[in-house]
mmCIF file of all heavy atoms in Angstrom:
data_model
loop_
_atom_site.group_PDB
_atom_site.id
_atom_site.type_symbol
_atom_site.label_atom_id
_atom_site.label_comp_id
_atom_site.label_asym_id
_atom_site.label_seq_id
_atom_site.Cartn_x
_atom_site.Cartn_y
_atom_site.Cartn_z
ATOM 1 N N PRO L 47 2.319 5.174 0.378
ATOM 2 C CA PRO L 47 2.139 6.274 1.331
ATOM 3 C C PRO L 47 1.037 7.231 0.883
ATOM 4 O O PRO L 47 0.203 7.760 1.716
ATOM 5 C CB PRO L 47 3.525 7.023 1.369
ATOM 6 C CG PRO L 47 4.405 5.804 0.882
ATOM 7 C CD PRO L 47 3.758 5.117 -0.080
ATOM 8 N N LEU L 58 -10.901 10.369 8.889
ATOM 9 C CA LEU L 58 -10.991 11.399 9.981
ATOM 10 C C LEU L 58 -11.919 12.515 9.562
ATOM 11 O O LEU L 58 -12.646 13.120 10.386
ATOM 12 C CB LEU L 58 -9.650 11.905 10.260
ATOM 13 C CG LEU L 58 -8.650 10.924 10.903
ATOM 14 C CD1 LEU L 58 -7.265 11.442 11.042
ATOM 15 C CD2 LEU L 58 -9.184 10.528 12.309
ATOM 16 N N GLY L 81 -9.366 -3.560 5.560
ATOM 17 C CA GLY L 81 -9.703 -4.854 6.235
ATOM 18 C C GLY L 81 -8.617 -5.840 6.261
ATOM 19 O O GLY L 81 -8.251 -6.435 7.246
ATOM 20 N N PRO L 96 -4.152 -3.043 21.266
ATOM 21 C CA PRO L 96 -4.557 -1.686 21.314
ATOM 22 C C PRO L 96 -4.304 -0.863 20.000
ATOM 23 O O PRO L 96 -5.124 -0.040 19.562
ATOM 24 C CB PRO L 96 -3.839 -1.023 22.516
ATOM 25 C CG PRO L 96 -3.544 -2.268 23.411
ATOM 26 C CD PRO L 96 -3.337 -3.324 22.565
ATOM 27 N N ILE L 98 -4.314 -2.072 16.982
ATOM 28 C CA ILE L 98 -5.214 -2.492 16.054
ATOM 29 C C ILE L 98 -6.681 -1.862 16.344
ATOM 30 O O ILE L 98 -7.355 -1.512 15.468
ATOM 31 C CB ILE L 98 -5.276 -4.019 15.999
ATOM 32 C CG1 ILE L 98 -3.962 -4.637 15.754
ATOM 33 C CG2 ILE L 98 -6.221 -4.491 14.879
ATOM 34 C CD1 ILE L 98 -3.815 -6.138 15.953
ATOM 35 N N ASP L 103 -11.833 0.963 15.663
ATOM 36 C CA ASP L 103 -12.778 1.962 16.087
ATOM 37 C C ASP L 103 -12.959 3.045 15.047
ATOM 38 O O ASP L 103 -14.171 3.495 14.838
ATOM 39 C CB ASP L 103 -12.223 2.585 17.407
ATOM 40 C CG ASP L 103 -12.300 1.652 18.491
ATOM 41 O OD1 ASP L 103 -12.952 0.526 18.439
ATOM 42 O OD2 ASP L 103 -11.579 1.848 19.557
ATOM 43 N N LEU L 126 -16.339 -5.625 5.755
ATOM 44 C CA LEU L 126 -15.118 -5.401 6.484
ATOM 45 C C LEU L 126 -14.646 -6.682 7.117
ATOM 46 O O LEU L 126 -13.448 -7.104 7.054
ATOM 47 C CB LEU L 126 -15.362 -4.417 7.592
ATOM 48 C CG LEU L 126 -14.225 -4.178 8.609
ATOM 49 C CD1 LEU L 126 -12.953 -3.618 7.784
ATOM 50 C CD2 LEU L 126 -14.550 -3.321 9.722
ATOM 51 N N VAL L 137 -1.556 -14.031 6.292
ATOM 52 C CA VAL L 137 -0.429 -14.368 7.261
ATOM 53 C C VAL L 137 -0.362 -15.809 7.501
ATOM 54 O O VAL L 137 0.695 -16.477 7.498
ATOM 55 C CB VAL L 137 -0.555 -13.610 8.563
ATOM 56 C CG1 VAL L 137 0.458 -14.045 9.598
ATOM 57 C CG2 VAL L 137 -0.519 -12.075 8.240
ATOM 58 N N ILE L 222 -17.929 -39.973 11.449
ATOM 59 C CA ILE L 222 -17.272 -39.004 10.699
ATOM 60 C C ILE L 222 -16.787 -39.619 9.274
ATOM 61 O O ILE L 222 -17.006 -39.108 8.233
ATOM 62 C CB ILE L 222 -16.125 -38.336 11.372
ATOM 63 C CG1 ILE L 222 -16.573 -37.562 12.584
ATOM 64 C CG2 ILE L 222 -15.286 -37.466 10.462
ATOM 65 C CD1 ILE L 222 -15.490 -37.154 13.646
ATOM 66 N N GLU L 223 -16.259 -40.788 9.398
ATOM 67 C CA GLU L 223 -15.755 -41.445 8.216
ATOM 68 C C GLU L 223 -16.956 -41.760 7.200
ATOM 69 O O GLU L 223 -16.754 -41.792 6.004
ATOM 70 C CB GLU L 223 -15.048 -42.715 8.634
ATOM 71 C CG GLU L 223 -13.658 -42.394 9.151
ATOM 72 C CD GLU L 223 -12.858 -43.631 9.486
ATOM 73 O OE1 GLU L 223 -13.467 -44.709 9.866
ATOM 74 O OE2 GLU L 223 -11.560 -43.596 9.467
ATOM 75 N N ALA L 257 -1.135 -36.236 21.479
ATOM 76 C CA ALA L 257 -1.933 -36.641 20.325
ATOM 77 C C ALA L 257 -2.193 -35.419 19.371
ATOM 78 O O ALA L 257 -2.167 -35.507 18.139
ATOM 79 C CB ALA L 257 -3.305 -37.185 20.785
ATOM 80 N N GLN L 266 0.104 -33.015 9.880
ATOM 81 C CA GLN L 266 -0.201 -31.746 9.208
ATOM 82 C C GLN L 266 -1.705 -31.608 8.842
ATOM 83 O O GLN L 266 -2.033 -31.316 7.747
ATOM 84 C CB GLN L 266 0.697 -31.647 7.912
ATOM 85 C CG GLN L 266 2.131 -31.542 8.158
ATOM 86 C CD GLN L 266 2.646 -30.166 8.475
ATOM 87 O OE1 GLN L 266 2.428 -29.246 7.693
ATOM 88 N NE2 GLN L 266 3.303 -30.010 9.611
ATOM 89 N N GLY L 296 -16.617 -31.062 18.904
ATOM 90 C CA GLY L 296 -16.126 -31.815 20.041
ATOM 91 C C GLY L 296 -17.244 -32.723 20.747
ATOM 92 O O GLY L 296 -18.298 -32.197 20.867
ATOM 93 N N LYS L 379 -14.448 -41.693 40.920
ATOM 94 C CA LYS L 379 -13.161 -41.266 40.341
ATOM 95 C C LYS L 379 -13.156 -41.446 38.881
ATOM 96 O O LYS L 379 -13.545 -42.475 38.350
ATOM 97 C CB LYS L 379 -11.953 -42.183 40.960
ATOM 98 C CG LYS L 379 -10.675 -41.605 40.524
ATOM 99 C CD LYS L 379 -9.529 -42.421 41.221
ATOM 100 C CE LYS L 379 -8.184 -41.877 40.856
ATOM 101 N NZ LYS L 379 -7.020 -42.658 41.473
ATOM 102 N N LYS L 400 -35.298 -40.743 44.524
ATOM 103 C CA LYS L 400 -36.130 -41.502 43.560
ATOM 104 C C LYS L 400 -35.657 -41.251 42.084
ATOM 105 O O LYS L 400 -36.197 -41.968 41.194
ATOM 106 C CB LYS L 400 -37.603 -41.007 43.756
ATOM 107 C CG LYS L 400 -38.221 -41.420 45.066
ATOM 108 C CD LYS L 400 -39.722 -41.210 45.109
ATOM 109 C CE LYS L 400 -40.317 -41.651 46.376
ATOM 110 N NZ LYS L 400 -41.841 -41.398 46.374
ATOM 111 N N ILE L 468 -32.543 -37.659 7.966
ATOM 112 C CA ILE L 468 -30.985 -37.774 8.312
ATOM 113 C C ILE L 468 -30.793 -39.172 8.866
ATOM 114 O O ILE L 468 -29.626 -39.683 8.549
ATOM 115 C CB ILE L 468 -30.567 -36.679 9.312
ATOM 116 C CG1 ILE L 468 -29.092 -36.688 9.461
ATOM 117 C CG2 ILE L 468 -31.280 -36.987 10.602
ATOM 118 C CD1 ILE L 468 -28.255 -36.135 8.301
ATOM 119 N N LYS L 504 -18.089 -26.731 1.424
ATOM 120 C CA LYS L 504 -18.787 -26.457 0.085
ATOM 121 C C LYS L 504 -19.007 -25.056 -0.076
ATOM 122 O O LYS L 504 -18.712 -24.524 -1.251
ATOM 123 C CB LYS L 504 -20.041 -27.322 -0.102
ATOM 124 C CG LYS L 504 -19.802 -28.835 -0.239
ATOM 125 C CD LYS L 504 -21.117 -29.604 -0.352
ATOM 126 C CE LYS L 504 -20.959 -31.043 -0.625
ATOM 127 N NZ LYS L 504 -22.120 -31.697 -0.753
#
Side-chain angles (χ1 to χ4, degrees):
L58 294 173
I98 305 169
D103 290 344
L126 175 64
V137 173
I222 296 167
E223 287 181 329
Q266 295 278 305
K379 187 176 180 181
K400 293 189 176 180
I468 190 71
K504 288 180 176 179

